[in-house]
Amino acid sequence: MNLLLKEIRHNPLLWLLVFVPAVFAGVSLVPERHTLLFLLSVLAIVPLAALLSHATESVAAKTGDSVGGLLNATLGNLTELVIALTALAAGEYMLVKASVAGAIVTNTLFMLGASFLIGGIKHHVQEFNRAGARLQAGLLFLATIALLIPSAVAEVDSVGSAAFTQSLSVGLSVLLIAAYGLGLVFTLKTHREEFASAEKDEGHEAPWPIGLALATLAGVTVVVALVSEIFVESVQGASAELGMTPAFVGFIVVALVGAAAEMASAFSGAWKNRLDLSVGIALGSAAQIALFVAPVLVLLSYVLGPTPMNLQFWPGAVVMMLFATMTAFLVTNSGRSAWFVGVLVIMVYLVFAMTLYMLPPRVQ
Amino acid sequence: MNLLLKEIRHNPLLWLLVFVPAVFAGVSLVPERHTLLFLLSVLAIVPLAALLSHATESVAAKTGDSVGGLLNATLGNLTELVIALTALAAGEYMLVKASVAGAIVTNTLFMLGASFLIGGIKHHVQEFNRAGARLQAGLLFLATIALLIPSAVAEVDSVGSAAFTQSLSVGLSVLLIAAYGLGLVFTLKTHREEFASAEKDEGHEAPWPIGLALATLAGVTVVVALVSEIFVESVQGASAELGMTPAFVGFIVVALVGAAAEMASAFSGAWKNRLDLSVGIALGSAAQIALFVAPVLVLLSYVLGPTPMNLQFWPGAVVMMLFATMTAFLVTNSGRSAWFVGVLVIMVYLVFAMTLYMLPPRVQ
Amino acid sequence: MNLLLKEIRHNPLLWLLVFVPAVFAGVSLVPERHTLLFLLSVLAIVPLAALLSHATESVAAKTGDSVGGLLNATLGNLTELVIALTALAAGEYMLVKASVAGAIVTNTLFMLGASFLIGGIKHHVQEFNRAGARLQAGLLFLATIALLIPSAVAEVDSVGSAAFTQSLSVGLSVLLIAAYGLGLVFTLKTHREEFASAEKDEGHEAPWPIGLALATLAGVTVVVALVSEIFVESVQGASAELGMTPAFVGFIVVALVGAAAEMASAFSGAWKNRLDLSVGIALGSAAQIALFVAPVLVLLSYVLGPTPMNLQFWPGAVVMMLFATMTAFLVTNSGRSAWFVGVLVIMVYLVFAMTLYMLPPRVQ
């Protein structure tokens, strides 16, 4: 417990934990102030995500490389998963899908681009391991194709058959999880030496003892779930009051909030000229959302949701995911980076964010 | 003739030749058993394709490098061409187009992916000549753009002008054949040294004498044409009885049957760590279908078909061809491969196959 | 003045200046002969563009590297800008957009492809600096995404909200100009050594004295504007009389005319095995149109045009810009070239040109 308090004192991000009691106080005192509750829950989720991330890494560090890698690979986006599950249980499928698509786009464009920019401000030219970037970009490309197919077929042909889209979504989910699992075997078992530099040192802070880590993991997950519930309930009212489209909130705001902790690691890696780490976090996290979180949500919607959820996205989101993946492939292909590469990638992100911000609210 | 029998005894694939008389017997005894005739004709085409392939290579080996290369490049997909011509003469344009698109997708994804996987199971990391892969991927990309344009323009603008689509298709066919011809000049004449390793040793079995080879070429082509007729007649009834959509049969089943002989060569090359050979067969075959077989079918439809055929594909098929080409480009770009690259490529194929299998039958 | 006359005697392209008085004579004598005026104005613009190009380079050579680079980067496509501004003032937004899209496609495909082909005829294999090509291809890719988004969102969702498209276009224009400006800082200031070989020697002819250069710049710009007015007025009548669609004229004819002077430099560079120069001119010019000329036209339409212009293109033009950019990326990725690479790229251009030529006139 002392260690946890020391960590909190040490890490300014964790001072935001004060917003956790604030959001619970808010929901019982002023349940109608949607914008206030929305902002408080956003501010509360950021430090909780940082705690979850550190706890996962600590458990991973204690359980050995393979099990640890597996843990990181399944729980690394636990915050996004919990938020999405809460929205799923509330039947807010539009928000679930927007946050999945937004997490993919934000990780591949904003997190990657800002890492290149931050690293490029300090270092003239940076190099990184292309093998890891290529694998993640390949996985992302596969996932984008899989996520694009139901929308493409349904749009183009006006099939309209909900049964077809639903069973296709389940089949694609199984394929994606299988590909993700085989990818873990590849990076953690058979070809781990190829990905060495991208993996080492990720948990650069001292790991917690296993008991504290497991307790934090369990406890914080519950708190995140409770805060997420307030967040999901307030998001629609708040977006209306703030004049933001629900598409913008789901795509941009939720994605930035959920990934705040990983961004801190990625940016610090870039600044220290360890761009392998930044690229690995950004693309790895995007691939995990696309190949693990999204299909798990589809499968869990049969248990948790009011009706089954499918993988048919808003066509604009599909276009954005596709171009985000292509951008990530193009800029990581050479294994070199400079500040302007970061600017280019962030510009693509700004194009998308601006479009979503200006979109008439009817279209989501 | 002895040599032919020796070859048959030597090669287990050729034992399937027993199904050639079986399918002719079947069509006169039980002409209404569509599924049986479909299966028998599929089983009969596989060994006939292997014979055609060996005969073409034998003639090529005897006629010197340039003429031989030209022969391989024009007759290498003779089976697919004969099946498609039979369907063309019967006016089954949906089947013709599905089998063309399916052959491109199956060669670039399944044949390439399975080669990477099979090679990767035996060898930790494999390398191959990027020059050949780049040229073929470039040709494929050009062809995909050409095949995509009529569908894109017709779809997006609801032009509806059949005359426009038809004359555009003829013009594009001439361009594609010209590009294919210039590509042969490039690989066989002016820059042959760049493609050396991909070409050598392809006919690793002892070639037949020219007389036997030419006779086999002529005779087997006639038999393939006769069996194809039974195949084309039975495919619709069979697909209905087997619960498969016509799109799935044309795209997946016909493509796998027609390419069985080449797959045997590609997979054996990958196992022997001669991945140049596998990549060359897979992408070369796909490029040949796209730049030679497809436009030749359009031009021949003026002579053989009930009405002229155009190059306007079902939009879903265009999306699949485009992503198959992009996948092939991305994975061959580095010139290195491991088992998981094969898994990724096969997964993209499975995404497409699953979509086609589940597609409501109305949409083809 | 003597120097100007010497230049004219020296450069056969400038003999076409005789068509400048001819076009002014034509417009007062036979104002109804649209086709004649169209051809005369086309022939008059080619040498004027060459003069503008030489004057810009001369001013740039006198003002030092950074200011000179900036001048080249902003005035390098002055001819295209003046033609487009004339069409803008006349409210011919269809022609403005077609000429912008056409300039991007013509520079990336025809100028690049013909450079590869011309260089490849003389030299077996040519190499060029990949850093410059990658940067320009990256900028082009960003611009294509930005130009594609308004069309994609408007098409797919039938938003129909003109206000949304208009404000999005203004926002995207500001982003594109910012990206272009930062790109200049990158290539001219912080990382100029990476782009060294692509820049040196561009002004290989002796530069004019600054006074002559500035006077030519000002005077010829006025003449180009006057000729452009005749060109814009005659283009519709002429295209009807010549049986060409307006889309073909805007996309192909205007683009080839406006870029004639740059093509002469690019082709001569390729022939002298200085492919860096050719690739730099072709992709740099395309990037300049996409990231500077197009957004400047949108912003100036508020001042000069009858109504504001947006960035929503005809979907076929978007598809062509996207594939042109992808083709440029794929073929410049390896940093090597041979004649067949040029053939492939020109073939893609011919596919587009043929489609536009055959397009029924209603669809533009």
Side-chain angles (χ1 to χ4, degrees):
Chain A
M1 207 57 190
N2 256 9
L3 216 68
L4 191 55
L5 287 174
K6 195 181 141 206
E7 174 86 23
I8 291 172
R9 224 173 306 127
H10 197 70
N11 185 342
L13 201 65
L14 296 183
W15 298 351
L16 294 173
L17 282 172
V18 72
F19 289 104
V20 177
V23 70
F24 290 120
V27 81
S28 57
L29 296 174
V30 287
E32 295 309 308
R33 302 275 313 267
H34 295 305
T35 304
L36 181 71
L37 291 175
F38 169 76
L39 293 175
L40 287 176
S41 58
V42 161
L43 289 168
I45 287 173
V46 171
L48 291 171
L51 277 183
L52 272 191
S53 173
H54 195 68
T56 307
E57 276 167 26
S58 298
V59 177
K62 296 282 170 189
T63 50
D65 274 357
S66 296
V67 181
L70 196 68
L71 262 171
N72 258 326
T74 45
L75 299 184
N77 281 297
L78 191 55
T79 313
E80 283 89 342
L81 187 60
V82 172
I83 298 177
L85 281 175
T86 315
L88 190 75
E92 295 275 5
Y93 291 172
M94 189 308 268
L95 185 64
V96 176
K97 289 180 184 178
S99 71
V100 163
I104 295 171
V105 169
T106 299
N107 286 338
T108 42
L109 295 179
F110 183 75
M111 205 192 291
L112 188 68
S115 296
F116 284 163
L117 180 56
I118 288 169
I121 285 171
K122 181 124 184 244
H123 310 279
H124 192 66
V125 171
Q126 295 184 292
E127 311 229 333
F128 54 92
N129 177 7
R130 306 202 292 185
R134 265 191 187 134
L135 178 88
Q136 307 288 13
L139 277 168
L140 265 176
F141 188 68
L142 163 65
T144 310
I145 293 177
L147 298 179
L148 173 149
I149 280 289
S151 317
V153 173
E155 273 300 303
V156 167
D157 294 296
S158 337
V159 179
S161 158
F164 161 65
T165 307
Q166 192 58 46
S167 53
L168 183 60
S169 298
V170 172
L172 293 173
S173 298
V174 173
L175 279 185
L176 286 175
I177 293 175
Y180 188 64
L182 290 169
L184 292 181
V185 174
F186 187 66
T187 49
L188 299 177
K189 281 268 173 209
T190 70
H191 288 64
R192 60 186 313 164
E193 78 289 350
E194 300 255 340
F195 305 95
S197 65
E199 299 292 320
K200 73 157 181 262
D201 279 323
E202 197 164 342
H204 49 291
E205 300 162 53
W208 293 337
I210 186 83
L212 175 65
L214 283 175
T216 307
L217 207 53
V220 174
T221 300
V222 173
V223 180
V224 169
L226 294 172
V227 177
S228 295
E229 215 164 309
I230 302 170
F231 173 79
V232 168
E233 273 165 21
S234 65
V235 69
Q236 277 205 316
S239 62
E241 286 172 31
L242 291 169
M244 296 189 287
T245 61
F248 180 81
V249 172
F251 224 87
I252 305 292
V253 179
V254 176
L256 287 174
V257 169
E262 287 144 329
M263 281 187 199
S265 303
F267 298 164
S268 129
W271 185 254
K272 294 174 193 154
N273 205 12
R274 286 161 59 209
L275 213 52
D276 277 348
L277 190 62
S278 313
V279 174
I281 294 174
L283 297 189
S285 187
Q288 190 179 7
I289 299 272
L291 285 101
F292 183 73
V293 173
V296 160
L297 288 170
V298 168
L299 299 180
L300 283 181
S301 73
Y302 282 83
V303 185
L304 295 176
T307 58
M309 190 179 82
N310 61 34
L311 281 177
Q312 189 180 335
F313 285 83
W314 171 60
V318 171
V319 170
M320 290 180 188
M321 284 191 279
L322 182 60
F323 282 108
T325 307
M326 285 172 67
T327 304
F329 177 80
L330 297 189
V331 298
T332 57
N333 190 36
S334 69
R336 299 176 79 228
S337 165
W339 67 266
F340 188 65
V341 179
V343 169
L344 270 183
V345 178
I346 291 174
M347 283 285 175
V348 176
Y349 186 69
L350 289 180
V351 167
F352 294 166
M354 181 186 278
T355 307
L356 290 166
Y357 187 78
M358 291 183 172
L359 212 59
R362 226 163 319 146
V363 195
Q364 291 147 22
Chain B
M1 206 58 188
N2 256 9
L3 216 68
L4 191 56
L5 287 174
K6 194 182 141 205
E7 175 85 23
I8 291 172
R9 225 175 304 127
H10 198 70
N11 185 343
L13 201 65
L14 296 183
W15 298 353
L16 294 173
L17 282 172
V18 72
F19 289 104
V20 176
V23 70
F24 290 120
V27 80
S28 57
L29 296 175
V30 286
E32 295 309 308
R33 303 274 313 267
H34 295 306
T35 304
L36 181 71
L37 292 175
F38 170 76
L39 293 175
L40 286 175
S41 58
V42 162
L43 289 168
I45 287 173
V46 170
L48 292 170
L51 277 182
L52 273 188
S53 173
H54 196 67
T56 306
E57 275 166 27
S58 297
V59 178
K62 296 282 170 188
T63 49
D65 274 358
S66 296
V67 182
L70 196 68
L71 263 170
N72 259 326
T74 44
L75 299 184
N77 282 296
L78 192 53
T79 313
E80 282 89 344
L81 187 60
V82 172
I83 298 177
L85 281 175
T86 316
L88 191 75
E92 295 276 5
Y93 290 172
M94 191 305 273
L95 186 63
V96 176
K97 289 180 183 178
S99 71
V100 163
I104 295 171
V105 170
T106 300
N107 286 338
T108 42
L109 295 180
F110 183 75
M111 204 192 291
L112 187 68
S115 295
F116 284 163
L117 181 55
I118 289 168
I121 285 170
K122 183 128 182 241
H123 309 278
H124 192 67
V125 171
Q126 295 184 291
E127 311 229 333
F128 54 92
N129 177 5
R130 305 203 292 186
R134 264 191 188 135
L135 178 87
Q136 308 287 12
L139 277 168
L140 265 175
F141 188 69
L142 163 65
T144 310
I145 293 176
L147 298 179
L148 173 151
I149 280 290
S151 316
V153 173
E155 273 299 304
V156 167
D157 295 296
S158 336
V159 180
S161 157
F164 161 65
T165 308
Q166 192 58 46
S167 52
L168 183 59
S169 297
V170 172
L172 293 174
S173 297
V174 173
L175 279 185
L176 286 175
I177 293 175
Y180 188 64
L182 290 169
L184 292 181
V185 174
F186 187 67
T187 49
L188 299 176
K189 281 269 172 208
T190 69
H191 287 63
R192 60 186 313 164
E193 79 288 350
E194 299 254 340
F195 305 95
S197 65
E199 298 292 320
K200 74 156 181 263
D201 279 323
E202 196 164 343
H204 49 291
E205 299 163 52
W208 293 338
I210 185 84
L212 175 64
L214 284 175
T216 307
L217 208 52
V220 173
T221 300
V222 173
V223 180
V224 168
L226 294 172
V227 176
S228 295
E229 216 163 308
I230 302 170
F231 174 79
V232 168
E233 274 165 21
S234 64
V235 69
Q236 276 205 317
S239 63
E241 286 172 33
L242 291 169
M244 295 189 289
T245 61
F248 181 80
V249 172
F251 223 86
I252 306 292
V253 179
V254 176
L256 288 174
V257 169
E262 286 145 329
M263 282 187 198
S265 303
F267 297 164
S268 129
W271 185 254
K272 293 174 193 155
N273 206 12
R274 285 162 58 209
L275 212 53
D276 277 347
L277 190 61
S278 314
V279 173
I281 295 175
L283 297 189
S285 188
Q288 190 179 8
I289 300 271
L291 285 102
F292 183 73
V293 173
V296 159
L297 287 170
V298 168
L299 299 180
L300 283 182
S301 73
Y302 282 82
V303 185
L304 294 177
T307 58
M309 191 177 82
N310 60 35
L311 281 176
Q312 188 180 337
F313 284 83
W314 169 61
V318 172
V319 170
M320 290 179 187
M321 283 191 278
L322 182 61
F323 281 108
T325 307
M326 285 172 67
T327 305
F329 177 79
L330 297 189
V331 297
T332 58
N333 190 38
S334 70
R336 299 175 79 226
S337 165
W339 67 266
F340 187 65
V341 180
V343 168
L344 269 183
V345 178
I346 291 175
M347 283 284 174
V348 176
Y349 186 69
L350 289 180
V351 166
F352 294 167
M354 182 186 277
T355 307
L356 290 166
Y357 187 79
M358 291 183 172
L359 213 58
R362 226 164 319 146
V363 195
Q364 290 147 22
Chain C
M1 207 60 188
N2 257 8
L3 216 69
L4 190 56
L5 288 174
K6 194 181 143 206
E7 175 85 24
I8 291 173
R9 225 175 303 127
H10 198 69
N11 186 342
L13 201 64
L14 296 183
W15 298 353
L16 294 173
L17 282 173
V18 72
F19 288 104
V20 176
V23 70
F24 290 120
V27 81
S28 57
L29 296 175
V30 287
E32 295 309 308
R33 302 275 313 266
H34 296 306
T35 305
L36 181 71
L37 291 176
F38 170 76
L39 292 175
L40 286 175
S41 57
V42 162
L43 289 168
I45 287 173
V46 170
L48 292 171
L51 277 183
L52 273 190
S53 172
H54 195 67
T56 307
E57 275 167 26
S58 298
V59 178
K62 296 282 170 190
T63 49
D65 274 358
S66 296
V67 181
L70 196 67
L71 263 171
N72 258 327
T74 45
L75 299 184
N77 281 296
L78 191 54
T79 313
E80 282 88 343
L81 187 60
V82 172
I83 298 178
L85 281 175
T86 316
L88 191 76
E92 296 274 5
Y93 291 172
M94 189 308 273
L95 186 64
V96 176
K97 289 180 183 179
S99 71
V100 164
I104 296 172
V105 169
T106 299
N107 286 339
T108 42
L109 295 179
F110 183 75
M111 204 192 291
L112 187 69
S115 295
F116 283 164
L117 180 55
I118 288 169
I121 285 169
K122 182 126 184 243
H123 309 278
H124 192 67
V125 171
Q126 295 184 291
E127 312 229 333
F128 54 91
N129 177 6
R130 305 202 292 185
R134 265 192 188 133
L135 178 87
Q136 307 288 12
L139 276 169
L140 266 176
F141 188 68
L142 163 65
T144 310
I145 293 176
L147 298 179
L148 173 149
I149 279 290
S151 316
V153 173
E155 273 300 304
V156 167
D157 295 296
S158 335
V159 179
S161 158
F164 161 65
T165 307
Q166 192 58 46
S167 53
L168 183 60
S169 298
V170 172
L172 293 174
S173 298
V174 173
L175 279 185
L176 286 175
I177 293 175
Y180 188 65
L182 290 169
L184 292 180
V185 174
F186 187 66
T187 49
L188 299 176
K189 281 269 171 207
T190 69
H191 287 64
R192 60 186 314 164
E193 78 289 349
E194 300 255 340
F195 305 95
S197 65
E199 297 292 321
K200 71 157 182 262
D201 278 323
E202 197 165 339
H204 49 293
E205 298 163 54
W208 292 338
I210 185 84
L212 175 65
L214 283 175
T216 307
L217 207 54
V220 174
T221 300
V222 173
V223 180
V224 169
L226 294 172
V227 177
S228 295
E229 215 164 308
I230 302 170
F231 174 79
V232 168
E233 275 164 20
S234 65
V235 68
Q236 276 204 317
S239 63
E241 286 172 32
L242 291 170
M244 295 189 288
T245 61
F248 181 79
V249 173
F251 223 86
I252 305 292
V253 179
V254 177
L256 287 174
V257 169
E262 287 145 329
M263 281 187 199
S265 303
F267 297 164
S268 129
W271 185 254
K272 293 174 193 155
N273 205 12
R274 286 162 59 208
L275 212 52
D276 277 348
L277 190 61
S278 314
V279 174
I281 295 174
L283 297 189
S285 188
Q288 190 179 7
I289 299 273
L291 285 102
F292 183 73
V293 174
V296 160
L297 288 170
V298 168
L299 299 181
L300 284 182
S301 73
Y302 282 82
V303 185
L304 295 176
T307 57
M309 191 178 82
N310 61 34
L311 281 176
Q312 189 179 336
F313 285 84
W314 170 61
V318 172
V319 170
M320 290 179 188
M321 284 191 277
L322 182 61
F323 282 108
T325 306
M326 285 172 67
T327 304
F329 177 80
L330 297 188
V331 298
T332 57
N333 189 37
S334 70
R336 299 175 79 228
S337 166
W339 67 266
F340 188 65
V341 179
V343 168
L344 270 183
V345 177
I346 291 174
M347 283 285 175
V348 175
Y349 186 68
L350 290 180
V351 166
F352 293 166
M354 182 186 277
T355 307
L356 290 165
Y357 188 78
M358 291 183 171
L359 212 59
R362 224 164 321 146
V363 195
Q364 291 147 23

